[in-house]
Amino acid sequence: GAGVSQSPSNKVTEKGKDVELRCDPISGHTALYWYRQRLGQGLEFLIYFQGNSAPDKSGLPSDRFSAERTGESVSTLTIQRTQQEDSAVYLCASSLSMPPYEQYFGPGTRLTVT
Amino acid sequence: AQSVTQLDSQVPVFEEAPVELRCNYSSSVSVYLFWYVQYPNQGLQLLLKYLSGSTLVKGINGFEAEFNKSQTSFHLRKPSVHISDTAEYFCAVKEAAGNKLTFGGGTRVLVKP
């Protein structure tokens, strides 16, 4: 079956512009996660969705970052007034909400803020 | 809060030699443990996971890892590496009652012929 997909694969934007990143999870996966991977670093958790609610937003770095999810489907991560430090690969993952809890990752969106 | 430390940022290794990637974690609660691999310009792929039971876990591509609760470690090993194992490897933990994964900083493995 289809895996997690993300779009766009690459995004170059000017400082101060808003961007939207999209994630399509695996069908039937109720849990969805966003992570950020800065160059040469590990992944940082941003936000977790269970269905369309977000019980854990603790990783969002500032109020410029927001995310929403439609039901148990598509999620959008929005970054307003982008800054150069927002440049990173943004990864989405989805999972079932029961063991084995394996998170399946998408290919990521590489965001470059110039 | 949990944390994950991967002690080696880079590991060069010759083809057909063994490799061990070290991972230590800290957590005050029960955790599940994972190793992911990221090939160049690709997303993360699960290599193996420990949820419960036998502390020696076997994964894909000949990798295995051993959970050591007393040492809070989950080291990854492969007895004989191939050129195709060149990639970045990430250790991650998840609280048993939680949701998010906490990742280590990654270990870049470069297999030389």
Side-chain angles (χ1 to χ4, degrees):
Chain A
V4 178
S5 61
Q6 293 185 246
S7 60
S9 55
N10 280 283
K11 176 72 176 179
V12 180
T13 190
E14 292 181 354
K15 178 181 173 181
K17 300 280 190 182
D18 298 352
V19 294
E20 282 191 356
L21 312 180
R22 177 187 168 108
C23 172
D24 281 274
I26 292 172
S27 177
H29 280 190
T30 54
L32 186 146
Y33 312 78
W34 283 97
Y35 294 88
R36 178 171 71 177
Q37 185 178 24
R38 288 174 161 155
L39 187 64
Q41 298 184 24
L43 280 74
E44 307 168 71
F45 167 78
L46 297 178
I47 187 169
Y48 155 65
F49 284 93
Q50 179 59 41
N52 63 4
S53 67
D56 189 349
K57 306 178 184 179
S58 62
L60 294 178
S62 75
D63 59 7
R64 296 186 295 105
F65 287 71
S66 63
E68 61 180 27
R69 186 179 184 195
T70 306
E72 295 182 353
S73 183
V74 172
S75 175
T76 303
L77 177 69
T78 301
I79 309 173
Q80 295 179 308
R81 305 181 303 282
T82 51
Q83 304 294 313
Q84 287 188 333
E85 62 262 28
D86 299 334
S87 296
V89 176
Y90 289 83
L91 290 158
C92 175
S94 70
S95 76
L96 296 171
S97 298
M98 62 184 73
Y101 304 112
E102 179 178 343
Q103 292 186 21
Y104 293 82
F105 283 80
T109 293
R110 183 175 299 277
L111 175 65
T112 303
V113 182
T114 62
Chain B
Q2 68 251 33
S3 65
V4 180
T5 302
Q6 291 183 242
L7 296 165
D8 306 296
S9 59
Q10 292 191 63
V11 174
V13 58
F14 286 106
E15 192 175 16
E16 297 183 6
V19 70
E20 178 179 81
L21 308 184
R22 295 178 292 170
C23 173
N24 287 86
Y25 69 93
S26 66
S27 177
S28 57
V29 299
S30 295
V31 296
Y32 301 133
L33 296 148
F34 305 81
W35 273 98
Y36 283 85
V37 60
Q38 187 176 35
Y39 298 106
N41 300 313
Q42 295 186 30
L44 273 71
Q45 179 181 359
L46 182 70
L47 273 179
L48 49 76
K49 58 184 177 285
Y50 173 79
L51 302 183
S52 64
S54 173
T55 57
L56 182 62
V57 179
K58 294 189 183 296
I60 62 171
N61 301 340
F63 285 92
E64 63 181 33
E66 185 153 20
F67 170 55
N68 187 318
K69 187 174 182 179
S70 63
Q71 297 187 3
T72 60
S73 68
F74 190 54
H75 301 333
L76 180 71
R77 301 183 185 95
K78 184 169 183 178
S80 176
V81 296
H82 302 292
I83 296 289
S84 59
D85 292 322
T86 293
E88 188 148 23
Y89 294 79
F90 293 96
C91 181
V93 301
K94 174 185 162 320
E95 290 185 356
N99 298 287
K100 66 183 181 185
L101 290 170
T102 300
F103 284 85
T107 298
R108 191 174 300 274
V109 173
L110 176 60
V111 181
K112 303 176 180 180

